[in-house]
Amino acid sequence: MQKLLPTVLLILLLSTRLLAWSTKEHVLLTRLAAEELIADPSTPEAMKHWLRRAAPDLRDRQDEKLFLLEQRVGIFPRGAAGVGFWATIPDMNAMLEKPGAEIKLEPFQAPEHLMHFIGLEFFMPDETKRTYAEDLSHKPGIESFPRDYHDARYQRAGMLPFRVEQCFGELVKSLREKRLSDEPGQYPRDEHAAKWAGFLAHYLEDNTQPHHATVDYKSASYFPNPLRAPNIHANMEYRLVDDDLDDYPELRKEFWNSLEQSLAELKDPAKSDDPWTATLEVALVSYDALPMIGRAGLAAYTDEKGQPTDRFNASAFFHFKGVYHAKQMTVLQLKAYQMAWAVKRVERVWRQAWDQATATAPIDLTTKTSDGVEN
């Protein structure tokens, strides 16, 4: 047991910075994307066939609701399979990194944990403005980002746009080579489209968590002592959906209803079809939610007498109202919107990868493997 403690402590320390949505949320969002694509009449039948094989744990919407409302998952992807499982692995890999001895991902020569975010302020031309400002005046324009991962700023800001682009390319390559899923005897066994679709889903989903677009990734600047500020990042993501101390049943029901409404109404607002550019677009839009989240965090840790408190008031946080892109909403509705956006991003980019892979030749999924099973 003592040998396990350092690893567990490392996971707990790193998880506050690395996780955008929780393990449970990544599984849910990825499955929802697969389920929506399968239900979409415009999705090619061959792609639907592949998704069913690549996501063997798909559910109907009612079962997904029960999964969100009732199931505790935790850090490790218990019960997940196929693309839903693979969508959790980037966080698992990052959590197991040893500080100072990380494995550097090629070609970026950067560790896994830098793949999950992009601190936009690092690209402000004025170096004195490379911090978070509540009035959003320290948010750079998209033209400020060089498409060159050798730029030293990315080693601090994060590599998310480049990792999305890389995973997209690997997914297209795997589909073209008809390496579609994990098959017995396949070598290398873990190099296939289901893996890369899951990895790609993970980073696309991270992209819609506003804290993954800023240097102030815990909204610490909203508190009198930022060094002792509570972790608003964690409150925004896993706490409502998969907290190990409180299930917030009524808030969860309210959240599910908002999520379903957003899924029904939302279309991916990213303008570009280029994965690298669109990732920056998503980060720049999501950044505008940070003031609302920060103020909600401060309200959640203020008691009825207006004094600071260490106790988290979930209702005060999730029912806090603000304006996000000219629309008034609660933080709960904001979370639902951003998570629904994640689903739509995954749907769109998976479909782009499929179309690109099959542009010159269709993928035949009816061939038989050596053991006679339909591939």
Side-chain angles (χ1 to χ4, degrees), residues 74-303:
I75 293 175
F76 300 100
R78 292 175 291 184
V83 290
F85 167 80
W86 288 109
T88 71
I89 298 304
D91 277 340
M92 299 298 104
N93 289 339
M95 289 175 189
L96 294 175
E97 288 182 332
K98 295 180 180 179
E102 301 97 338
I103 296 174
K104 302 295 180 68
L105 295 184
E106 297 293 344
F108 313 117
Q109 281 299 295
E112 172 65 49
H113 73 266
L114 283 177
M115 304 296 135
H116 298 245
F117 53 88
I118 177 68
L120 300 180
E121 299 95 343
F122 279 105
F123 296 90
M124 282 293 291
D126 184 346
E127 292 186 13
T128 66
K129 295 183 177 181
R130 292 179 180 175
T131 57
Y132 171 72
E134 187 176 15
D135 64 2
L136 304 180
S137 61
H138 293 188
K139 183 178 78 166
I142 198 167
E143 70 283 351
S144 298
F145 296 84
R147 196 164 187 160
D148 178 8
Y149 59 80
H150 296 101
D151 188 299
R153 289 173 292 181
Y154 287 113
Q155 290 290 337
R156 297 183 64 193
M159 298 272 187
L160 181 58
F162 297 100
R163 185 58 165 164
V164 167
E165 181 181 44
Q166 182 186 48
C167 291
F168 178 85
E170 292 292 341
L171 175 56
V172 172
K173 181 174 181 286
S174 296
L175 289 169
R176 281 178 176 164
E177 294 175 354
K178 301 182 181 179
R179 302 180 60 82
L180 303 177
S181 58
D182 193 358
E183 300 290 345
Q186 182 170 260
Y187 183 83
R189 183 161 182 168
D190 287 345
E191 291 300 317
H192 48 70
K195 169 195 167 179
W196 287 109
F199 274 39
L200 179 57
H202 180 97
Y203 299 112
L204 291 169
E205 291 157 9
D206 276 9
N207 195 195
T208 68
Q209 215 287 33
H211 284 120
H212 276 232
T214 180
V215 297
D216 188 18
Y217 59 87
K218 293 183 181 179
S219 293
S221 64
Y222 284 84
F223 293 83
N225 185 346
L227 294 178
R228 300 185 63 185
N231 190 350
I232 306 306
H233 187 137
N235 294 333
M236 182 62 186
E237 47 196 41
Y238 79 83
R239 191 158 194 170
L240 175 63
V241 173
D242 205 28
D243 191 3
D244 58 352
L245 299 177
D246 196 328
D247 280 339
Y248 308 108
E250 295 307 314
L251 282 173
R252 282 201 200 192
K253 291 177 184 176
E254 186 180 340
F255 172 72
W256 175 260
N257 291 336
S258 290
L259 178 61
E260 281 212 300
Q261 181 177 352
S262 291
L263 285 170
E265 297 174 354
L266 179 65
K267 293 184 178 179
D268 177 17
K271 297 178 182 178
S272 178
D273 285 327
D274 173 64
W276 186 89
T277 304
T279 300
L280 285 173
E281 289 179 354
V282 173
L284 287 162
V285 171
S286 299
Y287 190 91
D288 293 357
L290 290 168
M292 177 180 171
I293 298 170
R295 293 166 194 155
L298 188 59
Y301 287 95
T302 302
D303 65 21

Side-chain angles (χ1 to χ4, degrees), residues 353-373:
W354 181 273
D355 290 346
Q356 187 169 319
T358 59
T360 56
I363 297 176
D364 183 5
L365 300 179
T366 61
T367 58
K368 301 287 184 178
T369 62
S370 59
D371 59 2
V373 177

